[in-house]
Amino acid sequence: MDKIREDIKSREFGHYNCLLCGEHNRWGLGLQFRLLDDGRVHTKFKPLHVLQGYNGILHGGVISALMDCAMVHCLFHNGIEAVTADLNIRFIHSVPITAELDLYGEIVSNKRKIFYTKAKLVYKDKDMAVANAKFMRKVS
């Protein structure tokens, strides 16, 4: 897989209205991923209080969406446009709504039009949640 520009934007894949990373979504979180030297993508994220489930805890659905977003961005950074086919999350610890988080995504392997990825959400060097997913190359 050939690497493409590090400053890739969601709009290049028609993703500019995404709730998590879309630069044209006024209610979006504005996540911006950068490509690391080891091939993973990374972003920092500080939750908003409106994203909590139980009092003081980041909602599990938001965590799932964050993981999905990290994995799709590692595909974007490799010039691959794909959609989620299967997503599995392991919630390890509750995530405080006040946490400053690191979010990572990476491609593990691919077979034909299927891409296997993983992601993790980290707080103070501790894995809070991990995910594995399969993505299918998007067909226009």
Side-chain angles (χ1 to χ4, degrees):
M1 292 179 250
D2 294 330
K3 298 280 189 255
I4 58 175
R5 289 192 336 268
E6 259 190 62
D7 65 342
I8 189 167
K9 298 292 182 191
S10 304
R11 69 176 171 269
E12 295 180 45
F13 290 104
H15 213 242
Y16 46 82
N17 284 313
C18 175
L19 178 63
L20 299 179
C21 64
E23 58 197 44
H24 291 157
N25 188 330
R26 66 180 171 170
W27 293 289
L29 300 180
L31 297 181
Q32 294 182 351
F33 289 86
R34 65 184 178 89
L35 185 62
L36 302 176
D37 291 339
D38 63 6
R40 296 179 300 160
V41 294
H42 171 260
T43 193
K44 290 197 171 285
F45 175 66
K46 175 86 168 80
L48 306 169
H49 284 281
V50 297
L51 300 177
Q52 65 185 326
Y54 285 103
N55 192 33
I57 303 297
L58 183 61
H59 192 286
V62 173
I63 293 170
S64 299
L66 288 166
M67 304 292 243
D68 184 68
C69 190
M71 291 182 281
V72 81
H73 271 271
C74 66
L75 295 167
F76 285 173
H77 275 72
N78 282 278
I80 302 161
E81 187 175 14
V83 295
T84 312
D86 185 42
L87 176 63
N88 297 290
I89 311 277
R90 167 102 166 88
F91 300 95
I92 302 169
H93 302 284
S94 295
V95 179
I97 199 69
T98 57
E100 291 189 25
L101 304 165
D102 288 291
L103 180 60
Y104 298 91
E106 67 182 283
I107 299 172
V108 176
S109 65
N110 70 293
K111 289 184 183 177
R112 297 184 192 167
K113 296 178 184 180
I114 303 293
F115 298 88
Y116 299 87
T117 60
K118 66 182 182 178
K120 67 180 179 175
L121 188 65
V122 179
Y123 175 52
K124 293 185 177 179
D125 295 322
K126 186 180 198 181
D127 290 355
M128 304 304 280
V130 294
N132 294 292
K134 287 189 262 186
F135 284 80
M136 303 178 295
R137 189 176 291 275
K138 186 176 175 215
V139 180
S140 300

